[in-house]
Amino acid sequence: MSLRELVVLGTASQVPTRQRNHNGYVLLWDGEGILFDPGEGTQRQMLHTSVAAHDLTRICLTHFHGDHTLGLPGVIQHMSLDGVPHEVTAHFPASGRAYFERLRHATPFHDTVALREAPITAPGMIAGGGSGAELPFTLEARRLSHRIEAFGYRLTEPDARRMLPDRLAAYGIGGPDVGRLQRDGELRGVRLADVSEPRVGQRFAFVMDTRLCDGVYELADGCDMLVIESTFLHADAELAEVAGHLTAYQAGRVAAESGVRHLVLTHFSQRYQDTELFAAEAREAGFEGELTAARDLMRIPVPKRRR
């Protein structure tokens, strides 16, 4: 079976606490391992999970504040030490390229990892989707509203069709003919639509430090899983706006209005101890789907396909 799950390495914003490491998230998706926003301590947190350096194929940075990037040097050096043989692509805001270079070469080490830099200059598709694309999904970036340039990420699996065994049998189609029908769209007068039904591709979005903006809604739209910052509770909404962050209530409203199936709240301020208050506030905002207030080292499966 293909594996699609989120591994939470850390959930703290700005300052880690005794219970929460700095940010860090790995999305495992059918052999791809996408590391999002590796804060300080990320490589140590990985040791507490089954995620290894060899599992990482892509790194996505939303912006260059320290709680989202200070773990990058250790992760890159770890990949070199372990001899990761495949290319790893790094996406990040192009305006922060100088910071990326400093982090990339923060200390001397035997650099062997094939790290391909793919800076983001504008919103849009950044990977996959082309003819003969190397990925089974597209990866897009959308601009967020923070104190420095920031982008969120959206992964979209292409829509496809699910073959229906009973209809195939009724038309006497089996074996290699099934593949021919899928490829050509018609076989001996039988159309693909006669023996299959639409299968909506899965969607995942990652939204970190931002105020409410169009990009947040574009990323969240119709997602099976939305991982989104909820740094503050709504009593501190004015502080959230000044700091360029969301409240749990705002995150819940976004998810409710965008048709999100599973909402994952994270990036909690050190001023709050009980993260279930964030979940309760998202419910108050009207979100009725599956809801998780993330904890360090959680593994959260991407919801099964819609039927």
Side-chain angles (χ1 to χ4, degrees), residues 232-238 246-251 272 278 281 284:
F232 294 98
L233 293 174
H234 211 63
D236 295 313
E238 290 185 9
L246 296 174
T247 69
Y249 187 92
Q250 290 172 324
Y272 310 108
F278 292 81
E281 195 163 273
E284 291 173 10

Side-chain angles (χ1 to χ4, degrees), residues 243-278:
H245 286 292
L246 296 174
T247 69
Y249 187 92
Q250 290 172 324
R253 285 304 308 155
V254 168
E257 293 171 11
S258 302
V260 170
R261 297 177 63 200
H262 191 155
L263 172 62
V264 180
L265 302 174
T266 187
H267 195 269
F268 306 116
S269 169
Q270 68 270 23
R271 70 180 57 212
Y272 310 108
Q273 300 299 315
D274 184 3
T275 56
E276 288 307 312
L277 295 175
F278 292 81

Side-chain angles (χ1 to χ4, degrees), residues 38-39 62-70 146-148 209 243 245:
T62 59
H63 65 294
F64 281 95
H65 279 152
D67 54 329
H68 297 258
T69 59
L70 286 177
H146 194 42
R147 289 173 291 163
I148 61 174
D209 300 19
H245 286 292

Side-chain angles (χ1 to χ4, degrees), residues 31 45 94 184 191 241 244 260 284 291 294:
Q45 292 294 92
D184 300 334
R191 299 170 303 161
E241 177 69 18
V260 170
E284 291 173 10
L291 174 60

Side-chain angles (χ1 to χ4, degrees), residues 72-114:
L72 184 64
V75 169
I76 293 173
Q77 293 185 29
H78 194 156
M79 289 192 292
S80 286
L81 184 64
D82 283 6
V84 171
H86 54 261
E87 182 179 81
V88 177
T89 301
H91 303 282
F92 53 88
S95 60
R97 187 160 200 163
Y99 296 111
F100 184 86
E101 291 299 324
R102 293 172 196 167
L103 291 163
R104 170 86 170 83
H105 302 289
T107 66
F109 68 103
H110 183 50
D111 188 357
T112 63
V113 66

Side-chain angles (χ1 to χ4, degrees), residues 17-262:
T17 71
R18 289 186 176 88
Q19 292 77 35
R20 302 179 205 137
N21 196 73
H22 262 165
N23 271 289
Y25 313 84
V26 175
L27 177 66
L28 299 174
W29 189 287
D30 297 356
E32 288 278 327
I34 306 176
L35 173 63
F36 292 96
D37 282 9
E40 187 177 351
T42 289
Q43 65 169 325
R44 188 175 187 278
Q45 292 294 92
M46 287 171 60
L47 295 175
H48 293 291
T49 73
S50 61
V51 177
H54 279 71
D55 296 320
L56 302 180
T57 58
R58 201 167 293 268
I59 299 171
C60 293
L61 307 181
T62 59
H63 65 294
F64 281 95
H65 279 152
D67 54 329
H68 297 258
T69 59
L70 286 177
L72 184 64
V75 169
I76 293 173
Q77 293 185 29
H78 194 156
M79 289 192 292
S80 286
L81 184 64
D82 283 6
V84 171
H86 54 261
E87 182 179 81
V88 177
T89 301
H91 303 282
F92 53 88
S95 60
R97 187 160 200 163
Y99 296 111
F100 184 86
E101 291 299 324
R102 293 172 196 167
L103 291 163
R104 170 86 170 83
H105 302 289
T107 66
F109 68 103
H110 183 50
D111 188 357
T112 63
V113 66
L115 187 65
R116 182 176 73 88
E117 297 181 14
I120 303 168
T121 58
M125 189 179 300
I126 59 175
S131 177
E134 77 283 4
L135 292 174
F137 52 76
T138 60
L139 188 63
E140 301 172 77
R142 290 289 182 271
R143 199 178 299 279
L144 300 175
S145 174
H146 194 42
R147 289 173 291 163
I148 61 174
E149 186 174 46
F151 288 92
Y153 296 91
R154 177 181 171 94
L155 181 154
T156 303
E157 179 185 38
D159 293 342
R161 298 195 70 86
R162 180 183 294 108
M163 304 305 288
L164 301 174
D166 56 337
R167 295 189 190 177
L168 288 168
Y171 283 103
I173 298 175
D177 282 344
V178 176
R180 295 188 186 99
L181 177 57
Q182 289 176 306
R183 183 179 63 252
D184 300 334
E186 186 173 347
L187 180 72
R188 299 192 297 269
V190 179
R191 299 170 303 161
L192 182 60
D194 296 330
V195 293
S196 65
E197 62 184 11
R199 186 193 72 183
V200 178
Q202 290 186 303
R203 296 167 174 83
F204 170 92
F206 185 81
V207 177
M208 281 294 121
D209 300 19
T210 185
R211 305 173 185 89
L212 283 178
C213 63
D214 290 344
V216 172
Y217 287 95
E218 292 168 1
L219 292 162
D221 184 39
C223 274
D224 294 278
M225 179 179 284
L226 170 64
V227 180
I228 188 168
E229 70 120 316
S230 55
T231 308
F232 294 98
L233 293 174
H234 211 63
D236 295 313
E238 290 185 9
L239 177 57
E241 177 69 18
V242 171
H245 286 292
L246 296 174
T247 69
Y249 187 92
Q250 290 172 324
R253 285 304 308 155
V254 168
E257 293 171 11
S258 302
V260 170
R261 297 177 63 200
H262 191 155

